[in-house]
Amino acid sequence: MVVSHEIDRAHRDAIVDLTVSYSWAVDTGDGEALSNLFTSDGKFQGADGSVTQGADDLRKFAVRVHESRPYHLQHIAFNHQFRALNTTTVEVRSYVHVYTGSADGPQLLGMGTYLDTVEHTSDRWLFKERRFESLGRTERAATQPLGG
């Protein structure tokens, strides 16, 4: 028997806000904000299989991604789908496009999918796991790290 757990609009909105907060934290290099979006044992897995786990490593990750290009990145996540595992755990998948600016104007660097497991704590949703799967990078971006 399959048990369905409904996710109300307020929780969906809060989870989308979590994903938006992730983009802002990474794109601005705000490591403290990024680390606060994950559970204490939460982790980020990049497309290359690398795992970033723990508040200190997540803080460093945000700074590293932000400083990796002369023109900063913009992560745009959209088309969220939700699947409740229980009343406090939800799987979310969304598309992501990563852009950067350049002297020639904005460039799409790559695109992919986020596969997230989020948990509701006493007062908010946090990432338990965020996994980035790359669906490709533009030729110009192929020689530089994408960041996720």
Side-chain angles (χ1 to χ4, degrees), residues 66-106:
H66 177 68
E67 293 176 349
S68 69
R69 297 185 173 276
Y71 297 94
H72 299 295
L73 301 176
Q74 287 188 345
H75 290 71
I76 313 296
F78 55 98
N79 287 2
H80 295 77
Q81 285 189 323
F82 305 85
R83 183 170 77 98
L85 301 179
N86 56 51
T87 58
T88 60
T89 307
V90 174
E91 287 183 341
V92 184
R93 68 180 181 173
S94 58
Y95 293 139
V96 60
H97 289 176
V98 182
Y99 295 89
T100 190
S102 75
D104 298 328

Side-chain angles (χ1 to χ4, degrees), residues 98-147:
V98 182
Y99 295 89
T100 190
S102 75
D104 298 328
Q107 296 176 18
L108 174 65
L109 293 181
M111 53 197 254
T113 304
Y114 284 131
L115 303 169
D116 302 323
T117 302
V118 297
E119 290 186 352
H120 194 265
T121 64
S122 60
D123 63 341
R124 62 189 181 128
W125 289 93
L126 296 172
F127 292 108
K128 175 79 172 168
E129 180 177 3
R130 170 157 260 211
R131 196 169 77 228
F132 172 63
E133 293 183 355
S134 178
L135 298 176
R137 299 190 291 171
T138 62
E139 190 171 316
R140 279 183 146 170
T143 60
Q144 297 180 331
L146 184 57

Side-chain angles (χ1 to χ4, degrees), residues 7 10-20 82 90 92 118 125:
I7 307 166
H11 286 289
R12 285 176 180 261
D13 289 347
I15 293 168
V16 171
D17 285 349
L18 175 67
T19 67
V20 170
F82 305 85
V90 174
V92 184
V118 297
W125 289 93

